[in-house]
Amino acid sequence: MIKRTTINAYQVGLVFEKGRVTNVLEAGSYWIFGNKEVKIYEMKQSFIAPIELNILLQNEKLASLLDVFQIEDNEIALYFENGMFKEVLSTGRYAFWKGYIENSYIKADVSKTVITENIKIALLENNKVRPFVRKFEVANFEKGLLFENGTFVKEVQAGTYYFWNNAIKVEIKNVDTRQQQMEISGQELLTKDKATLRINFFVRYQVIDIVKALVNNKEFEKQLYIVMQLAIRAFVSSFTLDELLTRKETISKEIVAQVTNKINDLGLAVADAGIRDVILPGDMKEIMNQVLVAEKKAQANSIMRREETAAMRSMLNTAKLMEDNEMLWKLKEMEYVEKIADRIGQITISGSGNIIGQLKEIFVK
C-alpha cells in the first residue's frame, strides 16, 4: 500500500508502524509505503502524546522538537506561551513543540505554605491560580498573628498575604488596634452601709500587645469585662453610700489603678474610664430627696438668722449713735416725716387744735 502525505508549515507528522514511531516528518510531501499510519500535529498547540510519552521520546528527532516539563507530586507549574500566562500544570510530564511558540514555566513547591517563588500578585489573583492559593488581609488599623497547624509563627502588619493551599492549616488572626469602648451597665451593687444601687460604667481601652491578647489569653475582651466588674464591686462594697457619692469623680481612676497590672497582663491599656450613672432604688431616692430638702431648709434658716442678727446689730449701733447725738435724732425724725409726706396727698385741718404749733415743735427745738 502506497499513500502520499503532505505536511504543511508548522506541522509535524509522526509515522507509526505497529504502535511504534518509525519516522518524524516535517514540512513537505511524502510517499508512505506499507501498512503505516501518519498522525499530523499542529506546532502551535501543545503536544498530546497518543502513547506513553517516555516511549515517544526514545525517538531522538522527536525529542529534539519538543520541550518537556516534568512536574513532581509536590509541585505545580505556571505555564507561559510567549511570556503570557496560559495555564496551571499539575503533577505529570508535559511536552510542547519548539520553534513556533516560546515555552516557559515557573515551578512552585506547594508542599510549603510560604510563596517564595517570584510570582506577581496579579497572577496569584488569576482565576486559574486562585484554587492553589490562600489569601488573608490585615487592615491598616489591625495587626495579625500567623498560625500554622495551630502553632504561633509570627506577628504580621497591615497588608495582603498569600500562602499555598495545601494540607497545612494556615490562619491569620486579626485584632483591631484602635481605641475601643466597653460598657459595663446595670451593675447591682451593695455599699458598706447595705444600700443598694446600680452603676453604669464605661472603659476605653486599646490592644497594645497582640501576642499577650491572643496567644497568652483567651477572649481578652470578656476577661477585661470581668476584671472591671469585680473591681467595681470590691470598691463599692468598701465605702458607704455618702462616701461614694462624694467620691464619684475619682472613683474611676481609683478602680483602674487597682487593676492596672491585670489589664497589662491581657495586653491592653486603659486610656479612660468613668461612671455614667449612679441609679438608686425608688425608696432610697425618696429618702435622699427628703435629706436634700432638709439640708436646704436648714441652710435657708441659717441664712435668715444671720441676716436678722446683722439687721439687729445695725439698728443697735444706730440707736447708740442717736442717743449720743441729738442732731442725728432730729435727722431721723425728719426722714420718717418725709416718708409719711410722700404718701399723703393733702392735709385737712378741723377743730381748734394748734397743728402749726405742733409741726414747729417737731422740726424746731
Side-chain angles (χ1 to χ4, degrees):
M1 179 186 294
I2 300 175
K3 294 187 297 184
R4 184 175 177 84
T5 300
T6 300
I7 309 298
N8 297 323
Y10 303 111
Q11 288 182 333
V12 173
L14 300 184
V15 181
F16 289 86
E17 184 177 4
K18 295 181 180 180
R20 184 173 63 87
V21 178
T22 58
N23 199 2
V24 178
L25 307 178
E26 298 186 78
S29 296
Y30 302 89
W31 291 98
I32 306 299
F33 299 92
N35 188 20
K36 296 178 182 178
E37 180 186 6
V38 178
K39 292 186 178 181
I40 299 176
Y41 294 87
E42 299 288 338
M43 296 183 70
K44 63 181 180 180
Q45 299 174 351
S46 60
F47 175 66
I48 301 176
I51 59 174
E52 174 59 40
L53 182 61
N54 290 333
I55 297 175
L56 295 177
L57 292 176
Q58 292 176 3
N59 186 294
E60 294 182 359
K61 185 175 182 180
L62 177 59
S64 65
L65 296 175
L66 294 173
D67 279 327
V68 179
F69 304 153
Q70 182 163 324
I71 314 301
E72 304 297 337
D73 289 339
N74 61 323
E75 294 177 331
I76 62 170
L78 308 183
Y79 170 62
F80 298 82
E81 288 185 355
N82 296 325
M84 293 183 292
F85 174 68
K86 184 71 174 177
E87 61 181 314
V88 177
L89 305 179
S90 56
T91 303
R93 204 172 190 192
Y94 300 85
F96 301 91
W97 296 108
K98 293 181 181 178
Y100 184 77
I101 295 174
E102 180 186 348
N103 303 299
S104 60
Y105 64 95
I106 298 176
K107 274 188 177 182
D109 182 358
V110 295
S111 64
K112 55 185 177 56
T113 56
V114 180
I115 300 176
T116 56
E117 294 77 13
N118 185 20
I119 302 173
K120 296 180 179 179
I121 292 177
L123 191 54
L124 295 174
E125 292 285 355
N126 188 283
N127 289 335
K128 294 180 179 180
V129 182
R130 282 299 301 274
F132 300 93
V133 175
R134 285 176 284 197
K135 176 182 176 181
F136 299 91
E137 292 184 350
V138 181
N140 289 330
F141 53 84
E142 293 178 327
K143 288 184 179 179
L145 296 182
L146 174 62
F147 293 84
E148 289 187 5
N149 286 334
T151 302
F152 170 62
V153 178
K154 64 177 181 178
E155 180 178 330
V156 295
Q157 303 299 318
T160 303
Y161 298 87
Y162 296 89
F163 302 90
W164 291 122
N165 190 7
N166 51 34
I168 300 174
K169 183 181 178 182
V170 177
E171 182 182 10
I172 290 183
K173 294 182 179 180
N174 297 355
V175 170
D176 193 329
T177 57
R178 295 174 295 184
Q179 185 167 281
Q180 302 178 67
Q181 183 161 307
M182 174 181 288
E183 298 289 339
I184 305 174
S185 303
Q187 298 299 302
E188 295 279 351
L189 305 172
L190 198 65
T191 63
K192 187 177 181 180
D193 54 355
K194 308 306 179 185
T196 303
L197 52 81
R198 192 162 69 248
I199 288 180
N200 293 331
F201 200 85
F202 75 90
V203 180
R204 276 196 286 268
Y205 69 95
Q206 189 174 16
V207 178
I208 56 173
D209 190 329
I210 186 174
V211 177
K212 281 185 178 180
L214 290 184
V215 178
N216 299 343
N217 292 281
K218 181 180 179 181
E219 297 179 330
F220 63 88
E221 290 177 326
K222 288 185 178 180
Q223 291 198 52
L224 174 62
Y225 185 94
I226 293 172
V227 166
M228 296 305 302
Q229 185 185 49
L230 294 177
I232 294 169
R233 289 184 180 278
F235 188 87
V236 169
S237 65
S238 61
F239 293 95
T240 65
L241 178 59
D242 289 340
E243 289 172 339
L244 287 172
L245 293 177
T246 56
R247 300 164 66 100
K248 181 180 175 183
E249 301 302 325
T250 60
I251 286 177
S252 57
K253 293 181 181 178
E254 294 179 44
I255 291 175
V256 171
Q258 291 179 5
V259 295
T260 297
N261 291 335
K262 292 181 179 179
I263 293 173
N264 291 340
D265 290 340
L266 295 174
L268 309 177
V270 171
D272 190 16
I275 295 177
R276 288 197 183 279
D277 307 292
V278 176
I279 304 169
L280 300 174
D283 53 347
M284 183 61 70
K285 191 182 299 182
E286 185 177 348
I287 294 172
M288 293 297 294
N289 287 336
Q290 291 175 359
V291 171
L292 180 61
V293 170
E295 287 178 350
K296 293 302 180 184
K297 282 183 178 180
Q299 289 177 7
N301 290 334
S302 177
I303 292 171
M304 288 176 64
R305 286 194 295 271
R306 284 201 303 268
E307 293 297 327
E308 288 174 356
T309 301
M312 293 299 292
R313 187 178 292 112
S314 177
M315 290 175 65
L316 178 61
N317 292 336
T318 302
K320 286 182 178 179
L321 288 172
M322 291 173 63
E323 183 182 6
D324 297 337
N325 193 322
E326 190 174 346
M327 184 59 69
L328 287 176
W329 180 266
K330 280 295 181 182
L331 287 173
K332 195 66 175 177
E333 284 182 344
M334 291 175 66
E335 180 184 341
Y336 280 110
V337 170
E338 183 181 0
K339 289 180 179 180
I340 294 170
D342 285 341
R343 296 178 179 273
I344 298 174
Q346 61 181 2
I347 300 174
T348 303
I349 301 174
S350 63
S352 59
N354 188 6
I355 300 300
I356 300 301
Q358 293 177 10
L359 290 173
K360 284 181 179 180
E361 289 180 2
I362 293 175
F363 296 106
V364 179
K365 186 173 181 181

